[in-house]
Amino acid sequence: MRSGVGAVRAILLWGMWILAGGYVLVLGIHAAGAGPSWEGWFGSFADDWLGLLTVWAPAAVCWLAASSARLRRPDVLLAAAAVTAYAAGDTVYLVTSIGGGVVPFPSLADVGYLLVYPLLLAALVVTVRRHARGLTLWVWLDCAVGSLGAAAVLAVVMQPVLESAGEGLSPLATLAATGPPVFDLVLVAFIAGIASLRGVEMGVRWTMLASGLLIFAATDVVYGLQVASGTYVLGTPVDAGWAVGLALMATWVELASRSKRAPGLATHDASRTAAMAVSSVATVAGLGVLVASSQVAVSPLALSLAAGALIAAGARAQLTNRLLERMAEQRLVAAATDELTGLPNRRAFYAEGHSRLLDPGKPRQALLMLDLDRFKEVNDSLGHRAGDLLLAEVSARLRDTLHGDDALARLGGDEFAILLDNAGREEALHAAERLSTAVAEPVTVDGASLSVGVSIGIAFFPDDGTDLSQLLRKSDLAMYKAKTSQRGYHVFSPADDADATATLQTIQELRSALETDQFELHYQPKVDLDSGQVHSVEALVRWQHPARGLLYPGAFLSLVEAAGLMHSLTLTVLGQALEQVAEWRRQGQPLTVAVNISASSLSDSDLPNQVATLLAAKGVPADALQLEITEEFLVGDRDLARAILTKLHTSGIKISVDDFGTGYSSLSYLRDLPIDEIKLDNSFVIPMTGDVRTTALVSSTIELAHNLGMRIVAEGVETAGTYTELSRMGCDQAQGYYMSRPVPAAELLRWLTHWQALDDPAEMPQRISVTA
Ligand code: C2E
Ligand code: CA
Ligand code: CA
């Protein structure tokens, strides 16, 4: 029974398209001046009866589909009613005009023609409402830009129709004459608006409906223009436009009624790019209309629509700026303070330190690294609460001991750092004494009196180092010296640099490692949160050291940089990663690879050419490569950054901003540079679950990224909870130990097979919580 209905539906659908095709063909042949005479029986058969069939066939398709869906789908019912209204109008017209009868204007036929539009609009509203729940203001502004821009252009095109429509007619006739063009304007505006709804994936079916509506409206417009200019002749393919439009709409109804599930919100790159294109085109169109109005007469309607489009575009830009500012503030506050002590954290200290060292007004500075003695004992024996109270008390004492111009921060755990302003050896030693004394005073915690000591390592700017990382390393070395010698504090001396010789040796080893291929890559998947699929991986370098075993980047990258070997490493990594991508492609796995590029390699203006050469050598398309860069590169020479990134980007390579949220640069680069993706640093992702402030920050970063048309990836996803939370917040991709650690290529393929086999919805982590 069921399959019987299915067969009838299929036959009807095909029949409808064959009729429509035949109609276009017959009209085409006639317009070309071939075929039998149009005046006789053939013309009346073709234009009247065949024409009528071609509009009733879609109506039949619609109603059969609607009844199969048990008349429960309002969008389907409305579209079916619209198609029927048109067919009924055509029938009335034909019946009245048979035998040369004059059809009055307006007539009952016009009621049918006019009814089509409100019914179609209602069908559109119902369809879109289902998709558009929970969209933000800027999405609606996009929608307004798109629709007003399209309407403005159409208003210019249809000016002759609109002008001639109402001339010398009764009010009722004016309504019948102006109704269709005005409705067409609204319909097209509506479709353009929906097309610019960024982040809303309407699906292939929707394209069917939209093109049906557009063809229908376009036919109206062409017909109207021809009538207005007196060039309309019966029996050209224009006559078939309505039928083709209706057939497309009926096909949409047929497909839509078959699926129970409405396609949900999705954030596919393609739809986002398309949406951005629509609103930019609409803005330009609006501008074009305004400019044109100085040359030719443009109707007030078109002018107001164009102005409206530009105002909406302006509001949209304003909103983006406000969002950028809000984000910048939010992340500065959240990212800069240590929650427990209220002191600046490591990140804030690095930023402050960098800028102080660059300040020519501060020629002398001392960096003090502090680490509490026996703090672990307190924590272990009295519990974390006592440990926290102790840290808070110590922080307060350190702050009270220092001058207002000194910078104090908690680096983490029981480690603090101080940058003493305008301090030489003498001032630093005084400060160290005062700090030790202050910390040594007993602290009462939960009724118990505790006393802890502190070890302080001291290094000087500029004698011991001119940049913060050198000073940190040296004061850290000195701090260990102080701790092991139990002398309270110690000033760095070159003799402490026991590592120095080892460092030299390692640099030698690094050189030969580059020559003898000791570097290998591990790959970590990035999982698409909406589909659970994996399309890309990040390559992370490892050093297979002949004596020390497998080394991670933390153990050697700073040395690579210091030895000036970073660029060779980058090229080695790029070569290996692309070779692997080529291999995967040969195996039928079209994966994209992301490679980390240090700021130093990126500043090399030859990089784009070298990358292009490598891509060509390995036979890998540019869009299979993604480069992860850090904000560090973007704070420097902005023009150079733009030039290099633009070159890479226009060649098809995707650009991603790594460790997003840890830098202090102004976020305006996001708007100014060609960036495809941002990777939210794991220091925001790891503490996400349960921390309201961090979660808010993550969610506004997601919003920001999408607002700017970028993809957002969360790093450091370690738990199912974080995975589902990110997926719920609309984050695009996730990367982290929860799914997979970085692994060698062969292991990645095994993991991938396993992951792809997880098609049981209950096993898919994101579905588990979606239903929960
Ligand atoms: P990154 O680019 O931020 O890479 C992510 C790091 O986070 C990797 O550390 C990865 O193993 C780790 N990770 C992944 N998932 C999780 C998770 O769920 N939780 C936590 N806590 N960590 C996770 P790895 O491999 O040690 O790399 C460290 C850094 O070294 C990278 O940070 C990147 O900045 C740099 N690096 C790695 N490979 C290269 C390279 O080929 N060239 C350059 N210039 N830098 C590289
Ligand atoms: Ca990275
Ligand atoms: Ca990162």
Side-chain angles (χ1 to χ4, degrees):
M1 178 64 210
R2 189 162 257 259
S3 67
V5 175
V8 173
R9 285 171 72 176
I11 292 170
L12 208 57
L13 189 68
W14 281 108
M16 170 188 79
W17 276 110
I18 291 169
L19 272 173
Y23 190 38
V24 174
L25 202 68
V26 168
L27 292 171
I29 291 171
H30 173 249
S37 147
W38 205 253
E39 266 62 57
W41 66 270
F42 185 71
S44 104
F45 159 75
D47 222 20
D48 299 349
W49 301 109
L50 187 57
L52 203 57
L53 264 179
T54 57
V55 294
W56 276 109
V61 167
C62 285
W63 286 111
L64 197 59
S67 62
S68 304
R70 301 226 175 79
L71 307 181
R72 272 200 211 118
R73 294 273 304 265
D75 48 348
V76 166
L77 283 174
L78 285 164
V83 175
T84 313
Y86 187 87
D90 247 10
T91 313
V92 170
Y93 190 91
L94 185 67
V95 169
T96 323
S97 67
I98 276 177
V102 175
V103 188
F105 185 77
S107 74
L108 211 53
D110 292 299
V111 176
Y113 293 145
L114 267 183
L115 263 179
V116 176
Y117 303 94
L119 287 168
L120 284 179
L121 275 172
L124 271 182
V125 170
V126 171
T127 320
V128 174
R129 247 199 19 197
R130 232 190 359 234
H131 293 271
R133 261 177 227 131
L135 291 183
T136 45
L137 180 59
W138 52 266
V139 176
W140 291 118
L141 278 174
D142 273 344
C143 179
V145 175
S147 50
L148 291 168
V153 172
L154 202 60
V156 173
V157 174
M158 296 204 315
Q159 207 154 323
V161 184
L162 290 166
E163 274 165 6
S164 69
E167 278 166 17
L169 292 176
S170 70
L172 215 57
T174 309
L175 180 72
T178 44
V182 169
F183 272 127
D184 284 328
L185 204 73
V186 178
L187 262 182
V188 171
F190 210 90
I191 292 167
I194 296 167
S196 38
L197 279 178
R198 204 174 295 182
V200 178
E201 173 70 85
M202 304 292 294
V204 198
R205 275 196 260 121
W206 153 254
T207 320
M208 192 90 64
L209 176 63
S211 49
L213 290 167
L214 288 177
I215 290 180
F216 191 86
T219 313
D220 267 354
V221 173
V222 172
Y223 171 78
L225 287 173
Q226 289 184 344
V227 169
S229 63
T231 55
Y232 176 74
V233 282
L234 202 67
T236 69
V238 173
D239 293 358
W242 291 285
V244 172
L246 293 176
L248 279 164
M249 291 179 220
T251 312
W252 170 77
V253 167
E254 167 68 24
L255 297 177
S257 66
R258 260 192 240 164
S259 88
K260 292 185 186 60
R261 190 183 65 94
L265 283 180
T267 47
H268 289 297
D269 291 353
S271 86
R272 203 149 47 222
T273 319
M276 286 194 94
V278 171
S279 54
S280 332
V281 169
T283 313
V284 173
L287 207 60
V289 170
L290 288 189
V291 171
S293 71
S294 64
Q295 307 294 323
V296 294
V298 171
S299 71
L301 173 68
L303 274 182
S304 344
L305 288 168
L310 292 182
I311 289 170
R316 171 77 175 71
Q318 197 59 36
L319 203 65
T320 306
N321 287 344
R322 278 233 308 279
L323 199 62
L324 280 169
E325 281 164 19
R326 200 184 72 202
M327 269 289 306
E329 284 164 19
Q330 227 178 358
R331 74 169 190 162
L332 277 182
V333 176
T337 41
D338 168 46
E339 223 158 331
L340 175 63
T341 61
L343 291 180
N345 60 15
R346 178 186 291 271
R347 234 182 263 145
F349 185 75
Y350 283 12
E352 176 68 22
H354 276 304
S355 67
R356 281 185 182 222
L357 296 183
L358 291 175
D359 186 348
K362 298 182 188 299
R364 294 192 314 160
Q365 294 172 66
L367 179 60
L368 275 58
M369 184 74 80
L370 286 73
D371 193 284
L372 300 185
D373 301 334
R374 296 172 48 223
F375 176 73
K376 192 172 177 306
E377 269 171 60
V378 175
N379 235 353
D380 291 349
S381 50
L382 297 175
H384 286 288
R385 214 185 78 85
D388 287 354
L389 289 173
L390 180 64
L391 285 173
E393 175 59 27
V394 167
S395 305
R397 289 184 190 176
L398 294 177
R399 193 165 33 208
D400 294 344
T401 313
L402 294 168
H403 297 300
D405 288 342
D406 302 329
L408 163 69
R410 178 177 172 221
L411 298 186
D414 58 347
E415 217 179 54
F416 298 84
I418 296 165
L419 205 51
L420 292 180
D421 193 35
N422 190 26
R425 193 180 169 86
E426 202 177 324
E427 292 86 352
L429 294 183
H430 273 300
E433 301 266 12
R434 285 202 313 276
L435 291 164
S436 303
T437 318
V439 173
E441 288 283 315
V443 183
T444 314
V445 172
D446 285 345
S449 177
L450 306 172
S451 116
V452 289
V454 62
S455 300
I456 305 176
I458 306 169
F460 295 102
F461 170 82
D463 297 352
D464 295 326
T466 49
D467 73 38
L468 191 67
S469 51
Q470 282 172 9
L471 289 174
L472 280 167
R473 196 178 67 78
K474 292 186 173 168
S475 57
D476 205 38
L477 274 176
M479 191 270 290
Y480 272 103
K481 197 76 184 231
K483 196 156 267 203
T484 44
S485 64
Q486 297 186 321
R487 272 206 307 257
Y489 57 84
H490 178 83
V491 176
F492 173 81
S493 85
D496 298 332
D497 218 343
D499 284 347
T501 42
T503 303
L504 272 180
Q505 189 195 336
T506 314
I507 290 178
Q508 282 309 324
E509 289 174 352
L510 276 172
R511 281 187 215 284
S512 72
L514 277 166
E515 280 156 18
T516 58
D517 289 339
Q518 290 170 21
F519 291 103
E520 53 188 60
L521 297 182
H522 283 189
Y523 299 91
Q524 190 177 31
K526 296 171 164 181
V527 178
D528 283 359
L529 281 165
D530 65 345
S531 65
Q533 289 184 339
V534 176
H535 300 294
S536 51
V537 297
E538 176 175 2
L540 294 153
V541 71
R542 308 289 181 247
W543 181 7
Q544 190 67 60
H545 191 283
R548 291 156 70 194
L550 192 69
L551 298 182
Y552 287 78
F556 59 87
L557 275 187
S558 53
L559 268 184
V560 172
E561 191 78 75
L565 296 171
M566 190 51 106
H567 200 65
S568 334
L569 180 69
T570 300
L571 292 180
T572 304
V573 170
L574 272 169
Q576 282 192 32
L578 293 177
E579 180 69 51
Q580 188 58 57
V581 167
E583 177 61 29
W584 279 327
R585 289 186 174 232
R586 282 193 289 274
Q587 295 170 357
Q589 287 283 1
L591 289 170
T592 295
V593 77
V595 171
N596 292 284
I597 305 289
S598 70
S600 59
S601 302
L602 205 52
S603 322
D604 186 335
S605 49
D606 206 27
L607 186 79
N609 291 331
Q610 290 170 322
V611 174
T613 311
L614 274 171
L615 283 166
K618 308 288 177 188
V620 172
D623 63 4
L625 176 64
Q626 194 169 338
L627 300 183
E628 295 194 1
I629 65 175
T630 55
E631 287 179 65
E632 199 189 327
F633 168 65
L634 304 171
V635 292
D637 185 344
R638 181 69 63 90
D639 290 332
L640 179 71
R642 184 182 296 110
I644 293 177
L645 289 184
T646 305
K647 201 156 176 199
L648 290 164
H649 191 257
T650 42
S651 78
I653 295 167
K654 299 273 180 285
I655 307 292
S656 177
V657 175
D658 208 352
D659 304 340
F660 184 77
T662 58
Y664 281 84
S665 59
S666 139
L667 288 174
S668 60
Y669 72 81
L670 288 177
R671 209 183 24 200
D672 304 339
L673 299 174
I675 290 164
D676 304 286
E677 174 186 283
I678 62 185
K679 296 187 78 179
L680 189 57
D681 190 62
N682 61 22
S683 60
F684 298 97
V685 178
I686 294 172
M688 223 176 76
T689 28
D691 180 350
V692 184
R693 207 171 55 162
T694 315
T695 309
L697 194 68
V698 170
S699 115
S700 42
T701 311
I702 293 173
E703 192 187 338
L704 174 80
H706 288 168
N707 186 2
L708 293 164
M710 294 169 190
R711 188 168 54 196
I712 178 155
V713 184
E715 295 187 303
V717 177
E718 295 184 345
T719 63
T722 309
Y723 187 102
T724 42
E725 181 69 5
L726 285 164
S727 152
R728 196 188 56 73
M729 293 198 292
C731 184
D732 300 307
Q733 293 186 331
Q735 186 182 348
Y737 295 165
Y738 172 60
M739 290 78 80
S740 169
R741 289 182 174 264
V743 291
E747 208 171 305
L748 182 88
L749 277 198
R750 280 197 294 279
W751 175 88
L752 204 57
T753 320
H754 179 71
W755 179 260
Q756 283 163 347
L758 285 179
D759 61 0
D760 174 6
E763 275 184 87
M764 290 289 280
Q766 86 268 38
R767 304 256 170 84
I768 296 171
S769 85
V770 164
T771 51

